[in-house]
Amino acid sequence: MHVELVMLLVAVGVSIATTVVVLRRTRDAGWVRDAQLTMNASPGWTVLSLVFHGLGAAAGFVIGAVFISGGHPAAGWVFLCLGGMLGVLVGVQIWVARRPFPPDPSIDGPGR
């Protein structure tokens, strides 16, 4: 029982920390622009990443529900947290991909 509790606490902590870090990074215009450029440079890998994150989120929710209904609530919540975290990553990736490109920053520095 103690192992399941530790596993649950670690999974919840990692999921919350990852979600908070990713959502805070979206407030940085430079990070969003870099993410857009990265996604634009390799659209195939972007789609593949989106598909695998989506499948991971769905699998996490399904496996979590199966574990909870099977009498292992701690393991079920671990998978539900993983599915939720991957769902947030999918949402952020879609949000970044749908944003218009910002104008290019000025290359003229001080004294030019």
Side-chain angles (χ1 to χ4, degrees):
M1 180 63 182
H2 295 293
V3 173
E4 285 186 345
L5 180 61
V6 170
M7 189 170 63
L8 173 64
L9 293 175
V10 168
V12 169
V14 168
S15 295
I16 290 173
T18 302
T19 301
V20 167
V21 166
V22 168
L23 292 178
R24 284 190 54 86
R25 294 297 291 170
T26 60
R27 298 177 76 189
D28 182 11
W31 182 86
V32 173
R33 185 177 191 297
D34 290 346
Q36 287 175 316
L37 291 173
T38 302
M39 292 169 76
N40 191 41
S42 55
W45 287 110
T46 299
V47 171
L48 190 65
S49 170
L50 182 65
V51 167
F52 280 123
H53 281 131
L55 288 173
F61 286 126
V62 169
I63 293 171
V66 168
F67 270 120
I68 289 173
S69 66
H72 300 284
W77 282 107
V78 167
F79 281 103
L80 285 175
C81 288
L82 176 68
M85 179 188 68
L86 289 174
V88 168
L89 293 177
V90 167
V92 168
Q93 191 172 4
I94 291 171
W95 176 77
V96 168
R98 293 188 51 84
R99 290 179 52 90
F101 277 104
D104 287 333
S106 174
I107 57 172
D108 291 333
R112 288 189 180 192

